[in-house]
Amino acid sequence: MSFFAHSASWHDAISMYGDVKYDFKFQHFDYVNPDAPKGGIFKQASIGSFDSLNPYIVKGNAAAGVSYIYDTLLQQSSDEPFSLYPLVAEKVKVADDFGSVSFLINPNATFQDGRPITAEDVKFSFDILTTEGAPHYRSYYAGVDKVVVDDRLRVTFQFKELGNRELPLIIGQIPILPAHFWKDKDFAKSGLIIPIGSGPYRVGHFDAGKQVVYQRNEGYWAKDLPVNKGRYNFDQLIFDYYRDDAVAFEAFKSGAFDYRLESSSKRWATGYVGEQFDTGQIKLEQIADKNPQGMQGFWFNLRRDKFKDPQVRKAISLLFDFEWANKTLFYNAYTRIESFYSGSELATQATISDTEKAILMPYQDQLPRAVFAPLVKNQTNADGNVRPQMREAVALLAEAGYTLKDSKMQNQQGEQLSFEFLLYSNDFERIIHPFRRNLQRIGIKTNIRLVDISQFINRLNNFQFDLVSLRKGQSISPGNEQASFWGCESANQVGTSNWGGICSPVIDALTNQLITATTRQELVDTTKALDRVLLSQDMVIPQWYLPASRIAYWDKFEHPKVAPDYELGIDTWWSKEAISSNNDKEQ
């Protein structure tokens, strides 16, 4: 359905290229049960600790789930690539030239303390996020020139440039913060101040670093809106903290919490056994994930001198034996990542297409020739023999000025090439140790630094690492966030999403071209071209992906038969306890 047009008139929905699934009369999303009962408790685990209830700043480690207390201007559906529907804003208007977007605030919208949401709160939210929030908000919203409060319930965002189709949607996802609450508080150092939002849950109580409890907001102003029907059904959401994932898993099996998203193939294959599984007390499901899988890998810190030469990075990458790891450690569960947009139509293929070539030709003199050549896979026989890779790595390092002498890979100053893997979970050590042995065979020294999650985040934010293992997720409609992922401007900002610190004028230009794409096909082609250039940088050692989510949960819940395409949809589940309670009331 295409009732939203890019014109200077008010509409009920907005999408990237005009098509939306649900019309203005829709009652609820297809992937919910609109009659789901309210009640019960949903308890999850989180790893590490927390010392903040503000998820929008660099300082501190924010409590899991705290975003549940906030509403956004519009709500994204989970069964479309990128469409938004009314929430805090009941209407939206996009200029013909995409030079601005306006929002009409729902007059019934209120914060959890009963104060109405106004256009001033929307402007305040934008201003505070871009001045005192985490650095990526500044780059994410960099296309906004100014915010104009037209009247009490209408606000307009004027853009610096024309033609950015995604920016109106990005603005529609801004979390709305109460200006009156924050006016006498230090937002950037707010720590454990209990915040006020306008969302379906409020902070009930917490034990710093150990547990946080969210209470369903009985007076939630938007509970009957179509975007919220059948969602947010539990009376309480509880997050208990554990020091590591192995401890959390044992706690889950004993019934200490209800639900688990499993990331370990070994644990999934061998750990979910016992009476509680045999009797069906704990259910296991593997749910297809239609999102792009993005890039999971070992990210180099390109700010380090030793990693500035791409030959060095490529040489190190060659000695990660995925095929052996997949066979020996992962029960052949995974596929090797070969793209920054893996698992989607956005991923470039082995041979460059004519369209990609046309996009990249203006930058030919600034790109390595490998960008235009067929992609070459680093593939082993899964038998642990990496001699061909070792020979190639030694040759690449020789080109970079290194010599293997006295069993040490040394530079011209006689310094051994060495680096450190930064981890926050010891689960990854079994994967890194074989990699380290391969590196040691050509004289590269490595070690592992295991820290808690708070230290890990602090080190990442302040570039205090050599190699770090992380996953960079992607949406089906990439846009403004790509500038914060790869842009020169974000490369050296504290807390940046540009983990590796890549800076390339060509990448900046391609990112801008992607953001201003006028059709879906242009977006796809430009993303593929960007992907080829990113791959040529060897800034990450690709790991693996599984286009599915492995979940386990105690048999206390039910969920809709129809699952959303692009999320797990946990907020659509409901409690069997609530069903029983409601039946008792009826009797």
Side-chain angles (χ1 to χ4, degrees):
M1 184 165 296
S2 181
F3 68 86
F4 168 74
H6 302 125
S7 62
S9 56
W10 293 102
H11 290 275
D12 299 280
I14 184 174
S15 71
M16 193 73 167
Y17 298 108
D19 293 330
V20 295
K21 178 177 180 179
Y22 300 95
D23 67 22
F24 67 95
K25 294 180 180 179
F26 89 101
Q27 299 298 307
H28 58 81
F29 292 131
D30 289 348
Y31 51 84
V32 306
N33 170 12
D35 301 316
K38 307 292 185 184
I41 296 171
F42 192 76
K43 185 181 284 191
Q44 302 177 63
S46 194
I47 306 302
S49 66
F50 70 94
D51 56 9
S52 171
L53 293 172
N54 188 343
Y56 304 116
I57 57 176
V58 170
K59 186 177 176 61
N61 187 23
V66 70
S67 59
Y68 277 113
I69 75 172
Y70 296 104
D71 278 329
T72 51
L73 283 168
L74 302 173
Q75 173 64 49
Q76 183 171 355
S77 63
S78 298
D79 55 354
E80 300 173 86
F82 201 177
S83 296
L84 304 178
Y85 298 87
L87 187 50
V88 171
E90 63 178 1
K91 297 284 185 180
V92 58
K93 178 169 62 176
V94 179
D96 290 330
D97 58 7
F98 296 92
S100 68
V101 62
S102 299
F103 298 92
L104 192 62
I105 307 303
N106 189 320
N108 298 315
T110 61
F111 290 108
Q112 291 163 351
D113 60 359
R115 297 277 289 269
I117 298 176
T118 70
E120 289 286 356
D121 293 302
V122 177
K123 183 179 187 303
F124 168 81
S125 301
F126 176 85
D127 290 344
I128 201 76
L129 289 172
T130 54
T131 57
E132 298 185 40
H136 70 266
Y137 289 111
R138 286 190 283 281
S139 57
Y140 201 40
Y141 302 134
V144 176
D145 183 34
K146 62 180 176 178
V147 184
V148 179
V149 175
D150 301 308
D151 60 36
R152 181 175 170 276
L153 294 178
R154 190 172 65 194
V155 61
T156 295
F157 291 77
Q158 296 179 358
F159 304 150
K160 296 175 182 176
E161 297 178 357
L162 308 180
N164 187 334
R165 291 173 176 261
E166 189 194 35
L167 193 50
L169 286 88
I170 294 297
I171 300 303
Q173 295 177 309
I174 288 179
I176 306 305
L177 310 174
H180 68 275
F181 177 82
W182 290 106
K183 67 180 180 180
D184 58 352
K185 299 176 180 67
D186 189 339
F187 184 79
K189 299 178 181 178
S190 52
L192 291 170
I193 296 172
I194 294 180
I196 290 175
S198 63
Y201 289 90
R202 63 172 77 231
V203 176
H205 60 271
F206 65 89
D207 184 356
K210 296 180 180 178
Q211 183 189 72
V212 59
V213 178
Y214 301 98
Q215 192 72 36
R216 186 162 59 85
N217 182 11
E218 293 285 353
Y220 180 35
W221 73 273
K223 62 183 178 181
D224 293 323
L225 289 183
V227 295
N228 286 331
K229 284 281 185 68
R231 301 173 66 210
Y232 311 123
N233 301 314
F234 299 106
D235 282 345
Q236 286 188 336
L237 302 177
I238 300 176
F239 292 84
D240 285 332
Y241 278 76
Y242 294 84
R243 69 175 183 269
D244 63 50
D245 203 39
V247 174
F249 178 57
E250 295 304 318
F252 170 72
K253 290 195 295 182
S254 70
F257 59 94
D258 303 319
Y259 164 86
R260 178 175 172 83
L261 177 63
E262 184 55 68
S263 60
S264 168
S265 58
K266 178 182 179 181
R267 191 177 289 126
W268 185 254
T270 64
Y272 287 81
V273 294
E275 182 180 356
Q276 64 271 57
F277 301 98
D278 297 336
T279 60
Q281 289 177 283
I282 296 179
K283 293 187 173 184
L284 306 180
E285 292 186 29
Q286 190 159 299
I287 300 173
D289 183 356
K290 297 182 180 179
N291 283 295
Q293 298 303 305
M295 174 59 76
Q296 177 176 304
F298 298 106
W299 297 75
F300 291 98
N301 184 355
L302 273 59
R303 305 168 190 89
R304 299 277 202 248
D305 286 341
K306 57 190 164 189
F307 296 140
K308 290 191 182 298
D309 192 325
Q311 302 285 63
V312 173
R313 303 195 296 267
K314 184 174 182 180
I316 293 170
S317 301
L318 286 169
L319 296 182
F320 175 60
D321 191 348
F322 164 76
E323 286 73 23
W324 178 89
N326 197 33
K327 175 184 175 182
T328 309
L329 305 177
F330 304 149
Y331 300 83
N332 285 317
Y334 295 121
T335 300
R336 183 77 190 267
I337 287 176
E338 297 174 354
S339 164
F340 283 83
Y341 307 88
S342 53
S344 77
E345 65 172 338
L346 303 166
T348 189
Q349 301 303 306
T351 302
I352 189 170
S353 68
D354 291 340
T355 308
E356 289 173 73
K357 190 179 295 183
I359 293 170
L360 294 174
M361 283 304 293
Y363 313 107
Q364 184 178 17
D365 293 341
Q366 302 172 63
L367 292 170
R369 275 184 276 180
V371 170
F372 298 92
L375 298 177
V376 178
K377 292 183 181 180
N378 173 31
Q379 193 165 356
T380 69
N381 294 322
D383 59 2
N385 178 11
V386 293
R387 289 188 183 88
Q389 286 77 15
M390 289 171 60
R391 286 193 292 270
E392 186 177 352
V394 169
L396 288 169
L397 289 166
E399 291 179 28
Y402 283 87
T403 304
L404 183 56
K405 183 179 180 182
D406 300 326
S407 299
K408 296 179 181 179
M409 187 62 68
Q410 302 178 24
N411 63 15
Q412 294 175 353
Q413 289 74 44
E415 300 165 331
Q416 184 177 14
L417 178 57
S418 63
F419 60 86
E420 178 179 88
F421 293 91
L422 180 66
L423 301 178
Y424 63 86
S425 171
N426 56 15
D427 280 355
F428 234 74
E429 290 189 51
R430 71 189 184 100
I431 298 162
I432 291 177
H433 283 314
F435 186 16
R436 293 182 65 203
R437 285 196 295 270
N438 290 341
L439 293 165
Q440 181 59 44
R441 291 169 70 185
I442 63 166
I444 299 175
K445 181 181 178 182
T446 63
N447 67 288
I448 294 173
R449 182 178 294 273
L450 184 64
V451 299
D452 64 35
I453 187 66
S454 296
Q455 292 182 62
F456 180 87
I457 292 171
N458 183 63
R459 283 176 171 270
L460 180 66
N461 285 342
N462 291 281
F463 324 133
Q464 297 172 358
F465 67 93
D466 288 336
L467 260 74
V468 64
S469 180
L470 288 170
R471 177 176 178 262
K472 176 76 73 181
Q474 293 285 357
S475 81
I476 197 68
S477 294
N480 279 24
E481 77 286 348
Q482 303 299 306
S484 63
F485 289 173
W486 326 116
C488 287
E489 187 175 341
S490 65
N492 292 303
Q493 291 177 344
V494 173
T496 181
S497 299
N498 185 347
W499 299 324
I502 187 71
C503 176
S504 161
V506 174
I507 291 175
D508 279 357
L510 290 171
T511 299
N512 185 64
Q513 192 170 335
L514 178 155
I515 291 170
T516 56
T518 58
T519 66
R520 174 70 187 177
Q521 190 58 53
E522 184 183 352
L523 174 74
V524 171
D525 292 335
T526 308
T527 304
K528 288 182 174 182
L530 173 61
D531 192 23
R532 293 192 80 84
V533 177
L534 292 173
L535 289 169
S536 74
Q537 302 298 305
D538 289 299
M539 63 175 160
V540 59
I541 305 171
Q543 294 174 356
W544 52 83
Y545 74 95
L546 174 72
S549 297
R550 297 171 291 213
I551 63 172
Y553 58 94
W554 283 83
D555 188 18
K556 302 177 181 180
F557 313 106
E558 293 186 0
H559 58 73
K561 294 179 180 179
V562 177
D565 289 339
Y566 302 112
E567 283 189 1
L568 278 172
I570 301 301
D571 62 16
T572 68
W573 290 26
W574 62 91
S575 169
K576 290 182 178 181
E577 176 188 328
I579 298 174
S580 301
S581 176
N582 288 351
N583 288 340
D584 290 342
K585 289 177 183 178
E586 291 174 4
Q587 294 173 4

